[in-house]
């Protein structure tokens, strides 16, 4: 296989990965292609200094982007070798992906790849229709296949989740630096292709578990809809420890969960408020019975028509992908 023939699928996979989810739609990654290697780098200029000082959410986002790229290559019939954090001297080099051969595309990977353009973070309220237990089982299997775990919050645990999320949000909003950070990422120039504009911010109304207020100035254009989230399932993605390699695996698991949700006909939205501060994160650790460290909460349910959502700003490939050889 010639270098040109290797570069093309790597570039296509990197472009596919630009659709991955990230906190505040910050898209904190850079891709570099050199011959037969696709490198994923953290872009610290896009790290949320107040909301995410440890880089947990940044690494989760990079993990989601890595999984998107892996899925795209597998669906195109390529075998790959992935090295995660391959250079101990460069913490921002998240992963190296190398094509090692060809294979028949796996039908499931093809289906996941087909879900990438349709995956959206839906902040609107979900309906009273309960998520089928079999669908939750498949979401759990998708997460575990990527080296993380999923705890579906029980009904008796919902008050703890709701209170922890609400109190975490209130504490953050009381911080002027946090409000400045929210305003910076919700009032981006259109040419940046990132952030959460007013068209994507949902109007605040009472919810079963609060969702982040992206419109602190009150200029949210998206109506929450007629749902009440009663049928929604809330799940905690967790792992064995609170370290960057585990955050990365959790991001890959998050991508697998979200793409699988699309295949199940479900809407989904990550919730990170209760993980961003130390004390609510301890409550989330109690919620999973102390068996691991929580990385993220995901709300899953039967949502309104996803086609009614406004387009998501995305960076142009030339801004995030470098081809050097």
């Amino acid at each position: 296989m010639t270098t040109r023939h290797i570069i093309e699928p790597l570039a296509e996979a990197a472009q596919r990965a630009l659709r991955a989810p990230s906190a505040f739609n910050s898209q904190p990654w850079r891709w570099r292609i050199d011959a037969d290697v696709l490198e994923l780098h953290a872009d610290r200029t896009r790290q949320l200094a107040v909301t995410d000082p440890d880089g947990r959410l940044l690494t989760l986002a990079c993990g989601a982007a890595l999984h998107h790229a892996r899925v795209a290559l597998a669906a195109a019939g390529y075998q790959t070798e992935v090295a995660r954090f391959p250079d101990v001297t460069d913490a921002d080099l998240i992963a190296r992906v190398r094509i090692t051969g060809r294979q028949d595309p796996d039908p499931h990977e093809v289906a996941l790849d087909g879900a990438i353009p349709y995956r959206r973070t839906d902040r609107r309220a979900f309906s009273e229709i309960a998520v089928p237990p079999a669908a939750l089982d498949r979401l759990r299997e998708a997460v575990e296949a990527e080296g993380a775990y999923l705890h579906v919050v029980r009904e008796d645990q919902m008050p703890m989740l709701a209170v922890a999320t609400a109190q975490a949000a209130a504490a953050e909003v009381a911080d002027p630096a946090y409000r400045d950070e929210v305003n910076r990422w919700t009032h981006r120039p259109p040419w940046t292709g990132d952030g959460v504009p007013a068209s994507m911010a949902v109007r605040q109304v009472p919810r079963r578990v609060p969702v982040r207020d992206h419109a602190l100035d009150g200029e949210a254009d998206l109506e929450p809809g007629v749902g009440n989230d009663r049928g929604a399932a809330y799940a905690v993605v967790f792992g064995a420890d609170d370290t960057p390699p585990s955050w990365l695996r959790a991001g890959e698991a998050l991508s697998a969960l979200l793409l699988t949700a699309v295949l199940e006909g479900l809407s989904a939205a990550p919730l990170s408020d209760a993980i961003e501060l130390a004390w609510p994160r301890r409550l989330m650790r109690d919620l999973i019975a102390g068996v691991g460290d929580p990385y993220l909460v995901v709300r899953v349910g039967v949502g309104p028509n996803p086609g009614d959502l406004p387009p998501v700003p995305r960076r142009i490939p030339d801004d995030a992908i470098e081809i050097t050889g």
Side-chain angles (χ1 to χ4, degrees):
M1 191 180 299
T2 66
T3 298
R4 182 177 63 83
H5 289 154
I6 293 176
I7 287 176
E8 289 177 358
L10 292 176
E12 291 171 2
Q15 290 188 42
R16 206 71 163 162
L18 298 184
R19 293 178 176 269
S22 55
F24 290 98
N25 192 28
S26 53
Q27 304 170 52
W29 48 65
R30 292 183 298 108
W31 292 98
R32 182 173 180 269
I33 301 171
D34 187 359
D36 63 342
V37 175
L38 174 62
E39 289 187 345
L40 172 60
H41 296 258
D43 187 343
R44 298 291 174 182
T45 68
R46 293 175 167 274
Q47 183 171 345
L48 307 172
V50 180
T51 308
D52 184 34
D54 297 328
R56 182 180 290 102
L57 298 180
L58 177 148
T59 308
L60 282 164
C62 287
L66 175 60
H67 183 262
H68 273 39
R70 288 174 45 215
V71 164
L73 287 167
Y78 292 97
Q79 295 175 327
T80 58
E81 177 183 84
V82 181
R84 296 167 179 82
F85 293 105
D87 187 345
V88 295
T89 66
D90 185 359
D92 290 343
L93 176 53
I94 301 297
R96 285 195 182 109
V97 181
R98 187 187 303 273
I99 290 177
T100 58
R102 297 302 303 263
Q103 63 184 6
D104 292 333
D106 180 274
H108 182 63
E109 298 290 348
V110 172
L112 289 178
D113 181 64
I116 288 176
Y118 299 99
R119 186 218 59 83
R120 299 289 302 278
T121 295
D122 197 337
R123 301 178 180 89
R124 299 172 298 176
F126 298 160
S127 77
E128 295 184 2
I129 302 173
V131 178
L136 291 175
D137 287 342
R138 285 187 284 271
L139 296 182
R140 182 181 290 106
E141 290 168 1
V143 167
E144 292 180 354
E146 295 300 327
Y149 303 95
L150 193 70
H151 171 77
V152 178
V153 179
R154 302 189 310 267
E155 191 65 31
D156 65 293
Q157 295 176 319
M158 286 300 300
M160 178 187 289
L161 174 61
V163 169
T165 303
Q167 292 188 351
E172 288 184 317
V173 170
D175 181 357
Y178 170 81
R179 296 199 301 272
D180 287 344
E181 187 163 76
V182 172
N183 287 329
R184 184 162 61 253
W185 284 98
T186 56
H187 293 79
R188 306 283 284 174
W191 54 265
T192 61
D194 55 20
V196 183
S199 62
M200 295 172 55
V202 67
R203 186 169 60 83
Q204 293 292 297
V205 295
R207 302 284 284 271
R208 194 178 185 198
V209 176
V211 299
R212 190 191 304 276
D213 187 358
H214 287 97
L216 299 180
D217 56 9
E219 296 181 1
D221 292 346
L222 197 59
E223 292 295 326
V226 297
N228 55 19
D229 283 336
R230 288 300 304 173
Y234 294 81
V236 182
V237 179
F238 70 97
D241 54 49
D242 197 28
T243 61
S246 292
W247 302 342
L248 184 64
R249 286 290 192 176
E252 294 176 81
L254 172 66
S255 169
L257 184 158
L258 297 176
L259 297 180
T260 302
V262 173
L263 300 183
E264 296 290 336
L266 298 171
S267 297
L271 305 171
S272 59
D273 308 60
I275 308 298
E276 292 161 8
L277 299 177
W279 58 268
R281 193 161 61 247
R282 285 194 294 271
L283 291 179
M284 292 298 98
R285 191 176 294 115
D286 292 342
L287 190 145
I288 59 175
V291 297
D293 282 281
Y295 308 130
L296 204 67
V297 179
V298 183
R299 178 175 61 105
V300 180
V302 178
N305 182 3
D308 294 338
L309 288 170
V312 179
R314 290 295 177 194
R315 297 162 65 192
I316 61 173
D318 287 349
D319 185 42
I321 303 171
E322 178 187 7
I323 300 177
T324 61

